[in-house]
Amino acid sequence: MNTQHIHIQFLPQSFSLQKQCTSFTVVKRPSWFNSCSTSGAIVRCSVNEIEEQKQKQQVVKRAYPFHEIEPKWQSYWENNRTFRTPDEIDTSKPKFYVLDMFPYPSGAGLHVGHPLGYTATDILARLKRMQGYNVLHPMGWDAFGLPAEQYAIETGTHPKITTLRNINRFRTQLKSLGFSYDWNREISTIEPAYYKWTQWIFLQLLKRGLAYQAEVPVNWCPALGTVLANEEVVDGVSERGGHPVIRKPMRQWMLKITEYADRLLDDLDDLDWPESVKEMQRNWIGRSEGAEMDFRVLDSDGQERDIKITVYTTRPDTIFGATYLVVAPEHPLLSSLVSTTQSQNVEEYKNLASRKSDLERTELQKEKTGVFSGCYARNPASGEAIPIWVADYVLGSYGTGAIMAVPAHDTRDHEFALKFDISIHSVVMPDDESSSQSEKAYTGEGLIVNSSNLISGLDINGLSCQEATSKVIEWAEKTGNGKKKVNYKLRDWLFARQRYWGEPIPVVFLDGTGETVPLHEAELPLTLPELDDFTPTGTGEPPLSKAVSWVQTTEHSSGKPARRETSTMPQWAGSCWYYLRFMDPKNSKELVDKTKERYWSPVDVYVGGAEHAVLHLLYARFWHKVLYDIGVVSTKEPFKCVINQGIILGEMQYMVCKDVDGSYISADSTDTLGEYEQESIPEEKVMKSGDFFVMKDNPNIRLIARAHKMSKSRGNVVNPDDVVTEYGADSLRLYEMFMGPFRDSKTWNTSGIEGVHRFLGRMWRLIVGSSLPDGTFKGGTVVNDEEPTLEQLCTLHKCIAKVTEEIEGTRFNTGISAMMEFINAAYKWEKHPRKIIEPFILLLAPYAPHMSEELWFRLGHSNSLAYESFPKANPDYLKDSTIVLPIQINGKTRGTIQVEEGCSEEEAFKLASLDEKLSKFLDGKSIKKRIYVPGRILNVILDRQNIKASVR
């Protein structure tokens, strides 16, 4: 027996470790130490001794040596540029362009939710390479943005420094996960060589009248000193920082996306996108058909003034039911409508409305607010004078900024009319009598009633709603009271931000005249000037206005003095076209080479979060269609297939409810109680009971179980670096794919990754062999060169077929299940032939590339498996050797049995006789004959005398 001498010093329990043990570390007692009588003393060892013990413990604990394998193969891939897609490729081969929505490099780095989509695209990229495709799988950075500028304001650190530091961290993290990106094509939106072409696209938009300036109400945040998009405003404050936001008119650059509304809508039909995403885009574009109707404003004597309010309505058939008008607080005619007595009330209301976002104003559930303008207009159909109200549920940016309110047949108008005691006139008779007796607004179709006026010459009584709509539009166009109109919810794209950290807009304004002059293309890129002060000016002027020597310039052609535009482009700009630059990232002469674009377009698979389902995809499609129109791209759409991955939520949290006395109460009884508190309890005290979670020691106490989106504020962020250190990158990749369907949201569970890690360990030991006593593994494998059995071939090829099908269908979790089934079967085999194990390793490679490369190398291969042919299933081995055979008794089917193919009649009859269900028809019976069709049916004919006897 070997003895080991360890120096131990016993310390009394009162010993102060913090004050006196500065060079020592306290460790857990070894198991043998429990027998020592130490009276609670603490073991103290030197730092070096402890580190040695730690390393030994870690070696023993590791299921396989991922800590050696993964850095080794990541270095190999980088040094050999394994995943580089060359500029000159064999275009006779099929192509596969798979792309992630490139990330904004935040200071927080990645959390485990980010690699979900990246792992999926990497699996697809690796599969397609092995299937003989030319694969384009790049990565870059959407690096401009408000967070970096805010950090610069707070710390004085230039946003470029912060951004580059964050990019370096992101890149390191992504490389540690073994993603097969072509890093030679890496791009960043903040690099002048990239945003030169973003500016070039803007100039093309300007040339075609698709970029213009207009005075528009914007979400202005004085504290941030910038205009915010609607989605950046929550409850009247900025999403970042919680600063107050007001609506303020400001001259801004706009892009005329509305010119492309119909094409953006129509071309959705041909896309392989989630139907929910396409429907969200359809709703955002919001195409509707209706009419614009003119209402003449009346003076105090009831006479028509030379002012008309034009409204847009999708229900012209209900015009006789319009009992009031509503104009938006920002309507351009409002100041000329308001009476003297109401002017102060209206002004106060406008100020209140300016603090709300469009989303808040149009929220259906919110209480309706408004103020009477003190003025009236004439309904052109009925001839009645109806009041004009101001209300924030009407937006100046939609339609004409005014509506005709029909409270009998519109829910919002009905609520408003009830609140402010405005008359309600019903003009549609429902087909269903019960609906006509309802006190709510009737919004459906029916017959038109109470809708005739001899003076106006319009009579639509008795018509259906559809017939009435056509007649009203025809009347309006004939009498000059309106016209047919197609409208869109889609607004032109506000394309300017009052911030420093963005692409400069390549125009100048001539001194004196203010004429807008675009830069010459040869002057691009217009680079950002260096600034030390990024704080808002407080005047509405952007921070770039502080760079006086940069702002003051001369116009290139005329030499006249001019001022540069000091607003910058929004963050959306750089992400609108980056997929094109990846095709040709080093081209300094054109945005993308036409030959390369024709080969690689469109993106075959585009993966990202559902939060980008509307704006990013819509803006990118808009720019792509413009580039298509000017001959830069060859396809009408940029992304053939879009996939939204689910969200990985933080670990499940369990809460128990307590009453005022501190006693635990079941969560399903809290509705019957008054006040109660919630207390967090650890997972080890929880168990599952049916569909609910309960306390282990008291199953009658049901718990509240919930998981939240990972965020620093909740403290539930899991850092992938920590997971890779403890379990390895392959374990993280495999676990994220195994958690559940790729498109569904899932809850992180550390015990789950432990299970996947054990599976990889089993796989490793199956092929390499058991570990040595010191926890290491010998070189090579235990694979042999014997011929495989039929059972082994069938097991392998069924696995090949399943894994291939599931990867291509992005059902990654069930592909992993198939590999687990294979490993379970393989552990029952005495020998593991090379012809079985090598194809299996290739199957595993897209999921767990590091382990696969190492096993491939150990099997004697000198090159990477990245371009080895992916296994193909042989149909001959996919056939089941057993079949289901129907059994008939006297011609009537009584059941089925499982038999081997080629089963004899005698074997089939014997199995039927042993079957519990069939035996009751056969036991003790005299059989006249048997009719057997191999593989089809067995019919047993009983002696009729036996049948009669059994009947008696």
Side-chain angles (χ1 to χ4, degrees):
M1 176 179 175
N2 293 329
T3 58
Q4 190 175 20
H5 298 281
I6 300 177
H7 174 71
I8 299 173
Q9 179 178 349
F10 295 107
L11 303 174
Q13 286 181 320
S14 60
F15 188 85
S16 172
L17 290 169
Q18 273 193 328
K19 293 181 180 178
Q20 301 183 43
C21 288
T22 55
S23 63
F24 294 92
T25 304
V26 177
V27 297
K28 295 171 72 173
R29 309 177 184 202
S31 57
W32 51 262
F33 185 71
N34 291 334
S35 59
C36 300
S37 177
T38 62
S39 301
I42 300 173
V43 179
R44 186 172 73 172
C45 307
S46 73
V47 173
N48 289 339
E49 290 172 317
I50 289 164
E51 286 305 315
E52 288 174 12
Q53 292 297 323
K54 277 185 178 179
Q55 290 173 9
K56 287 179 181 178
Q57 287 175 4
Q58 286 174 351
V59 169
V60 173
K61 284 182 180 179
R62 288 192 179 103
Y64 67 98
F66 62 85
H67 63 298
E68 298 171 356
I69 294 170
E70 293 179 354
K72 168 186 172 180
W73 287 103
Q74 287 165 18
S75 295
Y76 175 93
W77 295 329
E78 186 159 355
N79 294 337
N80 290 276
R81 298 198 293 178
T82 303
F83 306 114
R84 181 174 180 266
T85 304
D87 287 334
E88 302 302 325
I89 56 175
D90 179 2
T91 56
S92 66
K93 292 172 64 176
K95 65 92 178 179
F96 185 69
Y97 185 1
V98 57
L99 183 64
D100 300 292
M101 292 184 185
F102 69 168
Y104 173 75
S106 68
L110 296 176
H111 63 62
V112 291
H114 293 110
L116 179 65
Y118 304 154
T119 304
T121 57
D122 194 60
I123 290 171
L124 291 171
R126 288 175 179 274
L127 170 72
K128 292 299 182 181
R129 283 193 199 95
M130 298 173 79
Q131 289 180 332
Y133 285 72
N134 289 325
V135 172
L136 185 57
H137 186 39
M139 176 51 72
W141 317 104
D142 189 12
F144 278 124
L146 189 57
E149 184 160 347
Q150 277 302 105
Y151 186 78
I153 293 170
E154 294 164 7
T155 65
T157 307
H158 195 285
K160 185 170 185 177
I161 295 172
T162 307
T163 302
L164 291 177
R165 182 171 64 232
N166 294 345
I167 285 174
N168 289 335
R169 184 181 180 196
F170 263 66
R171 188 191 303 108
T172 299
Q173 288 183 298
L174 291 176
K175 285 185 175 181
S176 76
L177 295 171
F179 296 135
S180 60
Y181 294 125
D182 179 0
W183 287 106
N184 193 56
R185 293 176 181 261
E186 179 183 4
I187 58 176
S188 173
T189 57
I190 66 171
E191 296 302 326
Y194 178 85
Y195 68 69
K196 165 186 177 178
W197 298 106
T198 309
Q199 293 172 335
W200 181 86
I201 294 172
F202 178 85
L203 292 179
Q204 310 316 305
L205 293 164
L206 191 62
K207 283 179 188 176
R208 284 153 185 81
L210 296 171
Y212 65 97
Q213 283 191 298
E215 194 85 8
V216 293
V218 296
N219 299 314
W220 172 252
C221 179
L224 297 180
T226 189
V227 172
L228 301 179
N230 288 335
E231 64 274 10
E232 294 176 301
V233 181
V234 180
D235 297 330
V237 297
S238 62
E239 185 180 34
R240 179 176 175 83
H243 304 295
V245 175
I246 61 171
R247 298 286 285 176
K248 173 182 176 181
M250 189 177 288
R251 192 159 181 79
Q252 296 284 353
W253 282 101
M254 308 290 291
L255 297 187
K256 202 175 289 186
I257 190 173
T258 50
E259 286 285 312
Y260 283 73
D262 282 327
R263 287 168 62 183
L264 289 168
L265 194 62
D266 295 341
D267 292 347
L268 284 170
D269 295 337
D270 300 326
L271 296 176
D272 180 16
W273 290 17
E275 195 55 43
S276 59
V277 172
K278 293 200 283 189
E279 193 59 27
M280 288 169 73
Q281 292 223 348
R282 290 187 187 107
N283 291 337
W284 191 268
I285 296 168
R287 187 181 192 276
S288 63
E289 294 185 4
E292 283 186 350
M293 306 295 293
D294 295 332
F295 288 70
R296 296 285 175 180
V297 177
L298 305 178
D299 61 22
S300 57
D301 297 325
Q303 299 300 309
E304 293 185 0
R305 296 169 58 188
D306 191 24
I307 301 175
K308 65 180 180 181
I309 296 176
T310 301
V311 305
Y312 172 75
T313 177
T314 58
R315 293 293 304 270
D317 56 310
T318 63
I319 189 167
F320 282 93
T323 58
Y324 64 102
L325 298 183
V326 181
V327 298
E330 58 273 16
H331 195 285
L333 293 178
L334 183 56
S335 59
S336 61
L337 301 177
V338 180
S339 68
T340 305
T341 55
Q342 286 294 102
S343 60
Q344 184 175 344
N345 293 335
V346 170
E347 204 57 39
E348 290 173 356
Y349 185 79
K350 283 173 62 179
N351 289 335
L352 287 173
S354 72
R355 299 190 180 98
K356 298 179 184 179
S357 69
D358 287 356
L359 196 63
E360 291 174 283
R361 287 172 56 177
T362 54
E363 176 62 46
L364 291 177
Q365 281 73 37
K366 85 176 188 74
E367 184 182 356
K368 301 296 180 288
T369 63
V371 61
F372 178 43
S373 69
C375 188
Y376 292 80
R378 191 176 307 285
N379 183 321
S382 68
E384 295 179 357
I386 58 176
I388 302 171
W389 283 74
V390 184
D392 62 8
Y393 74 85
V394 176
L395 301 177
S397 58
Y398 178 65
T400 62
I403 65 163
M404 65 175 208
V406 185
H409 306 294
D410 181 274
T411 303
R412 288 185 312 173
D413 298 345
H414 189 266
E415 292 173 1
F416 192 91
L418 288 178
K419 179 172 181 179
F420 294 104
D421 197 23
I422 303 172
S423 61
I424 300 173
H425 294 171
S426 178
V427 295
V428 180
M429 177 69 72
D431 296 328
D432 179 7
E433 290 186 10
S434 61
S435 298
S436 63
Q437 297 171 2
S438 172
E439 294 183 359
K440 296 180 180 179
Y442 175 68
T443 59
E445 304 247 326
L447 290 180
I448 302 298
V449 296
N450 305 323
S451 298
S452 175
N453 183 4
L454 291 174
I455 298 174
S456 66
L458 181 61
D459 181 1
I460 53 176
N461 280 334
L463 299 180
S464 69
C465 291
Q466 189 173 353
E467 292 169 333
T469 295
S470 298
K471 189 168 182 178
V472 170
I473 293 174
E474 182 184 349
W475 166 84
E477 291 180 335
K478 185 182 293 185
T479 59
N481 286 308
K483 62 183 179 181
K484 187 175 183 178
K485 178 74 174 178
V486 175
N487 201 32
Y488 301 89
K489 288 183 182 176
L490 180 68
R491 301 292 88 202
D492 280 344
W493 177 7
L494 175 59
F495 195 74
R497 297 290 186 270
Q498 283 61 54
R499 61 177 65 148
Y500 167 75
W501 195 230
E503 299 93 338
I505 296 175
V507 299
V508 297
F509 305 103
L510 296 181
D511 287 359
T513 65
E515 179 187 349
T516 303
V517 181
L519 294 189
H520 193 276
E521 290 177 12
E523 297 179 83
L524 302 182
L526 172 61
T527 57
L528 281 170
E530 291 296 324
L531 272 187
D532 296 324
D533 180 11
F534 314 102
T535 56
T537 59
T539 63
E541 282 288 309
L544 274 178
S545 63
K546 299 177 182 180
V548 178
S549 60
W550 180 85
V551 173
Q552 294 175 347
T553 185
T554 56
E555 194 272 312
H556 177 79
S557 300
S558 65
K560 294 178 180 179
R563 287 177 54 84
R564 296 195 191 279
E565 171 62 77
T566 53
S567 291
T568 53
M569 298 185 194
Q571 188 175 357
W572 303 106
S575 63
C576 276
W577 70 280
Y578 72 106
Y579 58 92
L580 293 170
R581 194 60 178 172
F582 279 136
M583 300 175 188
D584 194 14
K586 304 292 193 297
N587 194 332
S588 60
K589 296 181 179 178
E590 55 187 336
L591 186 147
V592 60
D593 176 79
K594 284 183 168 55
T595 303
K596 293 175 181 177
E597 185 278 326
R598 278 195 298 270
Y599 179 74
W600 287 113
S601 284
V603 175
D604 293 285
V605 176
Y606 192 35
V607 176
E611 66 272 18
H612 302 299
V614 177
L615 296 183
H616 162 60
L617 290 176
L618 197 63
Y619 293 157
R621 292 180 63 221
F622 166 47
W623 276 29
H624 190 89
K625 290 182 183 300
V626 174
L627 293 174
Y628 175 78
D629 289 348
I630 63 176
V632 175
V633 299
S634 59
T635 64
K636 293 182 179 180
E637 289 286 338
F639 313 117
K640 183 178 178 182
C641 174
V642 167
I643 301 174
N644 297 135
Q645 81 268 23
I647 297 172
I648 293 184
L649 304 172
E651 294 213 47
M652 190 73 77
Q653 296 177 336
Y654 303 98
M655 309 294 291
V656 62
C657 300
K658 297 167 66 175
D659 62 19
V660 290
D661 298 324
S663 301
Y664 291 150
I665 55 175
S666 185
D668 57 349
S669 64
T670 54
D671 291 342
T672 60
L673 297 173
E675 296 182 5
Y676 66 92
E677 296 180 352
Q678 293 182 11
E679 178 183 300
S680 177
I681 61 171
E683 186 177 4
E684 56 266 23
K685 293 186 178 182
V686 177
M687 70 177 188
K688 190 86 182 286
S689 176
D691 295 332
F692 304 100
F693 292 93
V694 297
M695 295 187 71
K696 272 185 183 177
D697 56 1
N698 187 352
N700 293 322
I701 302 296
R702 188 185 295 178
L703 304 174
I704 298 171
R706 58 190 171 211
H708 299 280
K709 189 174 180 180
M710 289 189 183
S711 66
K712 286 193 296 183
S713 60
R714 290 190 179 276
N716 64 347
V717 172
V718 179
N719 189 328
D721 299 349
D722 298 334
V723 178
V724 169
T725 299
E726 189 167 356
Y727 299 103
D730 284 344
S731 293
L732 176 59
R733 291 169 60 110
L734 213 64
Y735 173 59
E736 296 216 349
M737 294 297 98
F738 191 58
M739 291 174 76
F742 178 59
R743 293 163 176 79
D744 293 357
S745 292
K746 298 161 278 282
T747 303
W748 179 267
N749 189 326
T750 302
S751 62
I753 196 169
E754 289 171 352
V756 168
H757 185 64
R758 287 194 298 271
F759 163 66
L760 286 174
R762 288 189 75 217
M763 190 185 305
W764 176 265
R765 292 190 299 275
L766 176 80
I767 299 170
V768 172
S770 300
S771 62
L772 300 173
D774 64 354
T776 61
F777 294 86
K778 64 180 181 180
T781 68
V782 295
V783 173
N784 61 60
D785 291 318
E786 294 185 13
E787 288 298 311
T789 65
L790 178 61
E791 177 198 354
Q792 290 173 329
L793 287 168
C794 289
T795 302
L796 170 67
H797 284 271
K798 286 177 182 176
C799 185
I800 292 171
K802 184 67 173 176
V803 171
T804 306
E805 180 184 359
E806 300 307 89
I807 292 179
E808 291 180 338
T810 63
R811 297 179 293 272
F812 305 106
N813 55 323
T814 47
I816 295 170
S817 296
M819 289 189 284
M820 289 178 169
E821 290 172 10
F822 175 89
I823 292 298
N824 289 338
Y827 260 94
K828 297 174 184 176
W829 304 335
E830 289 185 10
K831 296 179 180 179
H832 301 92
R834 178 182 295 273
K835 289 183 179 179
I836 298 296
I837 297 303
E838 284 195 348
F840 177 75
I841 291 171
L842 296 176
L843 279 186
L844 176 68
Y847 286 93
H850 306 90
M851 176 183 279
S852 300
E853 290 275 22
E854 180 65 20
L855 293 174
W856 191 250
F857 175 74
R858 283 172 172 252
L859 285 166
H861 301 279
S862 56
N863 295 324
S864 167
L865 53 64
Y867 294 92
E868 292 291 327
S869 294
F870 198 75
K872 293 182 179 180
N874 186 334
D876 293 339
Y877 297 120
L878 301 181
K879 298 174 183 175
D880 283 324
S881 59
T882 61
I883 60 171
V884 177
L885 184 71
I887 306 297
Q888 291 185 345
I889 310 294
N890 292 326
K892 188 173 183 178
T893 302
R894 297 295 188 178
T896 60
I897 58 172
Q898 291 272 123
V899 299
E900 293 287 329
E901 276 191 293
C903 174
S904 68
E905 179 182 333
E906 195 58 43
E907 289 171 334
F909 179 72
K910 183 178 179 181
L911 288 170
S913 301
L914 295 173
D915 184 86
E916 183 179 354
K917 183 178 178 181
L918 294 168
S919 61
K920 65 182 180 182
F921 295 103
L922 299 171
D923 288 350
K925 305 294 190 303
S926 175
I927 296 172
K928 185 176 181 180
K929 66 175 179 176
R930 300 189 303 235
I931 302 169
Y932 181 57
V933 182
R936 301 289 298 277
I937 197 167
L938 172 63
N939 186 5
V940 181
I941 308 298
L942 301 179
D943 188 279
R944 286 189 173 278
Q945 190 174 354
N946 283 334
I947 297 173
K948 291 177 182 177
S950 64
V951 170
R952 293 194 195 103

